[in-house]
C-alpha cells in the first residue's frame, strides 16, 4: 500500500514498534497529508476526510 502526500488515515489501535524510542505499544495513529498529526493511546478528533481503519492486527515500525 502506498500513501502519497494526500493521505488522511487514522489507524485505530495499531501496534507501534520503535526500538530507538523503546516503544512497543498499541496506539492510535493519524496521518494527514503525509504528516503524523496524532500518535497516542488517546483518541484523536479527526476530520470528515479521514479514513478510519481498525488496525488491531497491523504493525507500524520504522524501516518496514
Amino acid at each position: 500500500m502506498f500513501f502519497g502526500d494526500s493521505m488522511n488515515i487514522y489507524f485505530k489501535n495499531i501496534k507501534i514498534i520503535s526500538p530507538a524510542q523503546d516503544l512497543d505499544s498499541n496506539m492510535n495513529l493519524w496521518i494527514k497529508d503525509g504528516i503524523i498529526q496524532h500518535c497516542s493511546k488517546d483518541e484523536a478528533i479527526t476530520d470528515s476526510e479521514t479514513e478510519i481503519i481498525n488496525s488491531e492486527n497491523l504493525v507500524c515500525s520504522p524501516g518496514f
Side-chain angles (χ1 to χ4, degrees):
M1 180 182 302
F2 173 76
F3 301 112
D5 289 338
S6 64
M7 74 170 155
N8 295 313
I9 301 176
Y10 184 63
F11 296 96
K12 192 168 184 168
N13 199 31
I14 192 168
K15 183 165 191 91
I16 299 178
I17 300 171
S18 178
Q21 296 176 331
D22 195 29
L23 183 61
D24 184 349
S25 183
N26 282 42
M27 303 179 93
N28 298 308
L29 175 64
W30 180 23
I31 302 174
K32 181 176 180 173
D33 298 327
I35 299 170
I36 295 174
Q37 299 294 318
H38 178 89
C39 183
S40 173
K41 290 186 179 209
D42 298 329
E43 290 286 330
I45 298 172
T46 61
D47 57 30
S48 62
E49 298 174 356
T50 300
E51 178 182 359
I52 298 173
I53 299 173
N54 182 353
S55 305
E56 62 188 36
N57 295 317
L58 300 178
V59 175
C60 176
S61 180
F64 276 170

